[in-house]
Each structure stands twice: as structure tokens, then as C-alpha cells.
Amino acid sequence: MNLIFTPPISPFPKTLPLSIKSLAGKLPVRSPSSNPPREKLTGVIVIGAGLAGLAASTHLHAHNIPFLLLEASDSPGGRVRTDSVNGFLLDRGFQIFITSYPEAKKILNYETLDLQKFYSGALIYYGGKFHTVSDPFRHFLDSVKSLSNPIGSILDKILIGLMRFRVLSRSDEEILTDYEIPIIDRLKNTGFSDSIVDRFFRPFFGGIFFDRELKTTSRLFEFILKCLALGDNTLPANGIRAIPDQLAGKLPPDSVRFNSKVISLDFHESGSDPPSVRLKTGEILKAELGVIVAVEEPEAEKLLTGRFVKKPGKKPVRSTVCLYFSADRSPVREPVLILNGSGQGIVNNMFFATDVAPSYAPDGKTLVSVSVIGIWDSVSDEELTGVVISELSGWFGESVVGSWRHLRTYRIGFAQPNQSPPTDLTGKSARIGSGVYICGDYRVSATFDGALVSGRKAVEALMKDRVLSSK
């Protein structure tokens, strides 16, 4: 293993926000001419190269703070990954990127991601037919045509418009700290009918939060509703992995180590000794400036056994199964999300990925993505595939679906943290011990944006502590 030295920290950029400017020059710096330490030493150790860990590393790098990012797998992304299979791009589970995420706009280059847009609405299967639900502000004529369809009443559609105006008039902070109830109660209290709840809200937001019961907090529901009103649903042309790949590509090559699983973390509350981590290989690394734990919640609990603050009453995690098929053509040929509003079967949502991003499949082929809520661990992959094919044959016809070829099934046991009330989507402290900080989407909002925000907040907490300790 290479010995890692801490390079000198250069002055902070003059364009930093005031809260960060005040920290300039106050972090401890080791001279490059000092004798090499006997222990393997670095500045900050970031554990986990998911979106939160990559965001933390990006901010450390931007502020010239030496760091080492350790990732247990062979590539960045965590749950945000894509596999290349026979020319197809298979995202690991149903994932859509919303362009209006506020933190994402600050840290990502959208032009480089080459984002491919979905239709602003959905196609809903109900009563043996497909019905269109459209965003009236982007597809006015389509929305007028859909006024008489059975996916909710005219009053329901007016209420959606009023809810849209309400969320747009409020700041993100107001939404994420507002009085909260489960989504289903929020919808009922607003006056929505059972028909639009069951035929639209359950499959649509159930697919976003992997929660058909709609027990997720109304705070997260309204935040996503605002993001959907302001931005587009998209897929990067090179797969969802393009997002973590872009972040990782901006980091110094020697600052990231893959296939480096951390099995333990040692730190003292007194701060008398810098925290250290032990790798699966037996190697021990000491962090002179601190450790940022950026793994997903179940892994964080293992690393921080006895020190991880958990709320009473553990919530079940959100799980999903995503199945991919190859087809010769799309029966829809529109970049639209298709929802199961029938209340029957196991398919929650699906789409023809190549209708959105043709690069997801080889020329002349169509990629089909199907999502089921829950892990379905008592059903084999083969059985699950058979049920899905049978169900979708009823939607599109056996002559169409019968020729589909199964590519791969992904069972995502921890697809998303459970954020049913009570939640704290903004106020958790990133500091959990002397020189140890934590981040991840479960610490804030369970979104791509939440993961990025939490990474930034962990770095800000670390920097604040280092300044205070140097006074």
C-alpha cells in the first residue's frame, strides 16, 4: 500500500461564502518536509463513495483540504449505479433525476450529463385502457383532453393545481420543517377522491418513495411536488451512473481508493487521539482532521455500534424489485412513465427506457424497465418474471410481450430509508463524536438532493470544529 502524506493546505478561494471564508487559514497543516509518520496518516477519511460521500469529497477538494475517499466496491455511486449488459444500460433500480433539485444544480454539470427528458405527466393503465394525465402548464391541450378521463374528477385536477401553487409559494426550508402527516392523510384532508388517490397518487408517489401505502411524510411529498413543478424528470444519456461518475471524475486520482472496505472505526470522545479506520485487509489509517461516515444507514449502524443515535421504534426499510427486458419495439413510443392504476397485479410502474434515452440499448432494440414495490423474497426470479410477463401481456397484448427477453432482475433490499413521520429533514447535526461526522440521504431528505446536501453539511461541521479547536 502507498504511504499517504498530507499536502499543505492552500488559501481558500475568495469567492467562498462568508461562513466558510471565516475558516480560511485556520485548519492545521502538516509540513511536507516533516518526517513520515510511522502510522499511515491522511487529512480527512471519507467512508463510502455514494452521492453523499462524493459530495463531501467534492467540497473538501474545493477547499483544498486533504482527504482520502474509501469505497468498498469497485466503482462510485452506492445505490446510484448502472451496469452495461450486452449493450444495454441497466440502472440498479428505478431512478429518475429531477433537474430542479437545488443542491444538484450547484454541484453538477447538466450539459455534460446529457439529460434526456420524460413527458411531463404519466400514462395510467385502468379499466383495460391507458389514460393520460398531463401537466397543464406544459401540455395544456393534452390536459384539456384528459379532463373527462376516469383518473379522478375535475375537482381533483383543480386541487392538484391549487396544491402546485401552494408549494411554489413556499421555500424549501418551510416545506421541510412544516407540520407533517403521512401523504395519504394529506391527500384525504385536501379533499382528493379515492379514485385519483388509488389510480394516480399511489402508483406515482408510491413508485418514487417505494411506498404504496403512502405513509411517507407530507414534507417530502411537497418537496418533490415542488421540484416536479419547477423541473423535468430525466435520465442521463449514459445511465444514472453518469451522476456519481461526474463527481468522482473531478477528484484527484490518488484521493479515491476502491475495493477498500472499512470494517471498524475507532475514535475517542475526548479527542485526545485522531480517529482511525481499519480496512478488511488489516490496514489501519489514521485521520488527522476527521472521519466522515458516508455509507448507507444499515452500514453506518454496523460501523457505529453503540454510538449511532437511533429513534425508538425502528422503521422498516423501503425495498423494490426492478426487472429489465429486451424488446424489438416499444408499443408506446413516447418518453412517458406508465403507472398501474388498476389496483390489481404486482407491477407498480414501468417505462420503455429507450423511448426516453435511445442510448440505453443497442440500435434496433428497446429496453423495458418494470418496477415492483417490496422485495418479494419468497418468490424466485423466474417466478417473478413469469408473473410480470403475464400481467403486462394483459396490458399490451401477448403478441407484443411474448417476444420480450428477460435481461436481469435487481432486488434492492435497501432502496430508500423509511421517512414516515416523525422526521427531521433539516436539523440533524452531522457531528456524532470528536472528529467523526456522518452524512447520507437518511440524515436529511431521501432524495438525490438530500444526499448531496448532507455531504456538504458534514464538511461544514468538520471545518467549524477544526477552527474552534485551533483557537
Side-chain angles (χ1 to χ4, degrees):
M1 296 293 178
N2 295 328
L3 187 63
I4 300 168
F5 296 97
T6 305
I9 300 174
S10 59
F12 285 81
K14 294 180 180 180
T15 56
L16 289 176
L18 182 60
S19 59
I20 301 299
K21 276 185 181 179
S22 61
L23 307 183
K26 295 185 178 181
L27 291 174
V29 182
R30 292 177 57 244
S31 168
S33 61
S34 60
N35 292 328
R38 292 183 179 178
E39 294 180 292
K40 296 187 177 181
L41 191 66
T42 190
V44 178
I45 292 176
V46 181
I47 307 173
L51 292 187
L54 289 167
S57 300
T58 297
H59 287 286
L60 290 168
H61 180 50
H63 301 327
N64 299 311
I65 301 173
F67 70 93
L68 178 64
L69 174 58
L70 302 173
E71 167 57 36
S73 69
D74 59 357
S75 59
R79 281 171 276 145
V80 185
R81 300 278 293 274
T82 305
D83 294 319
S84 298
V85 178
N86 299 326
F88 293 89
L89 297 179
L90 310 184
D91 294 336
R92 295 189 185 181
F94 172 62
Q95 301 183 63
I96 289 178
F97 180 72
I98 305 176
T99 57
S100 58
Y101 281 142
E103 190 77 10
K105 288 192 292 186
K106 300 174 187 176
I107 198 172
L108 293 171
N109 182 328
Y110 286 7
E111 183 177 354
T112 303
L113 289 175
D114 191 12
L115 299 171
Q116 309 293 300
K117 297 179 183 179
F118 279 80
Y119 176 85
S120 296
L123 201 60
I124 301 176
Y125 181 75
Y126 172 75
K129 298 179 180 179
F130 291 102
H131 308 274
T132 300
V133 172
S134 306
D135 181 340
F137 296 91
R138 303 183 193 190
H139 305 289
F140 179 73
L141 291 179
D142 288 352
S143 65
V144 170
K145 294 176 183 177
S146 69
L147 284 176
S148 60
N149 71 26
I151 311 303
S153 64
I154 293 178
L155 176 59
D156 286 323
K157 290 154 190 178
I158 293 173
L159 289 174
I160 289 177
L162 293 174
M163 183 178 285
R164 176 191 177 117
F165 282 121
R166 179 177 182 273
V167 298
L168 288 175
S169 68
R170 309 178 76 208
S171 68
D172 295 342
E173 180 76 13
E174 288 176 313
I175 290 173
L176 295 175
T177 58
D178 194 14
Y179 171 75
E180 65 174 339
I181 54 178
I183 294 172
I184 186 64
D185 293 341
R186 175 77 171 84
L187 297 174
K188 297 287 186 182
N189 293 348
T190 301
F192 286 106
S193 69
D194 288 342
S195 65
I196 199 163
V197 168
D198 293 338
R199 297 167 196 173
F200 172 70
F201 285 110
R202 284 194 192 280
F204 185 75
F205 285 96
I208 291 174
F209 303 125
F210 307 110
D211 170 29
R212 280 191 62 90
E213 299 302 311
L214 300 181
K215 294 180 179 179
T216 299
T217 174
S218 55
R219 293 170 175 170
L220 196 52
F221 165 70
E222 294 197 2
F223 174 71
I224 291 296
L225 192 64
K226 179 180 178 180
C227 290
L228 290 170
L230 292 172
D232 295 303
N233 286 342
T234 67
L235 289 174
N238 290 325
I240 205 71
R241 67 184 177 195
I243 295 171
D245 283 353
Q246 182 182 106
L247 292 173
K250 296 178 180 179
L251 302 176
D254 59 353
S255 68
V256 185
R257 285 172 53 176
F258 296 110
N259 300 308
S260 299
K261 182 175 179 59
V262 174
I263 60 171
S264 67
L265 168 60
D266 183 37
F267 63 99
H268 305 284
E269 191 54 46
S270 65
S272 57
D273 199 34
S276 63
V277 302
R278 181 185 293 273
L279 303 184
K280 188 176 181 180
T281 59
E283 183 180 7
I284 297 176
L285 301 173
K286 186 160 287 192
E288 195 172 31
L289 302 180
V291 171
I292 296 177
V293 179
V295 294
E296 61 187 24
E297 189 174 17
E299 290 301 313
E301 291 177 0
K302 293 176 185 177
L303 275 179
L304 299 166
T305 302
R307 307 195 197 199
F308 192 83
V309 179
K310 291 187 290 185
K311 295 178 181 177
K314 189 174 178 62
K315 301 174 184 176
V317 300
R318 304 302 189 195
S319 303
T320 186
V321 182
C322 183
L323 301 92
Y324 285 103
F325 301 89
S326 166
D328 291 330
R329 65 179 182 87
S330 163
V332 175
R333 300 189 181 182
E334 293 288 340
V336 64
L337 182 65
I338 305 172
L339 308 175
N340 183 1
S342 70
Q344 301 175 345
I346 66 171
V347 172
N348 183 76
N349 56 275
M350 66 162 298
F351 70 106
F352 296 90
T354 37
D355 287 344
V356 180
S359 50
Y360 266 58
D363 290 342
K365 290 294 182 180
T366 293
L367 178 63
V368 187
S369 171
V370 182
S371 293
V372 176
I373 306 301
I375 197 63
W376 293 82
D377 51 4
S378 62
V379 181
S380 70
D381 285 358
E382 185 178 0
E383 291 173 315
L384 199 61
T385 299
V387 171
V388 166
I389 287 292
S390 175
E391 187 173 326
L392 294 181
S393 292
W395 293 20
F396 301 107
E398 188 174 350
S399 61
V400 173
V401 180
S403 63
W404 292 2
R405 181 173 61 87
H406 177 250
L407 293 172
R408 185 169 290 186
T409 295
Y410 290 95
R411 294 178 186 262
I412 317 294
F414 185 83
Q416 194 177 103
N418 183 325
Q419 292 197 315
S420 57
T423 65
D424 180 358
L425 305 186
T426 63
K428 295 186 185 74
S429 171
R431 185 184 189 277
I432 58 170
S434 179
V436 180
Y437 309 85
I438 191 167
C439 59
D441 59 356
Y442 63 97
R443 304 290 295 176
V444 281
S445 65
T447 62
F448 282 10
D449 210 60
L452 298 175
V453 168
S454 71
R456 170 175 54 80
K457 286 187 172 182
V459 172
E460 291 173 348
L462 178 147
M463 295 174 72
K464 180 180 178 181
D465 283 355
R466 298 308 302 181
V467 167
L468 292 174
S469 68
S470 65
K471 288 182 177 179

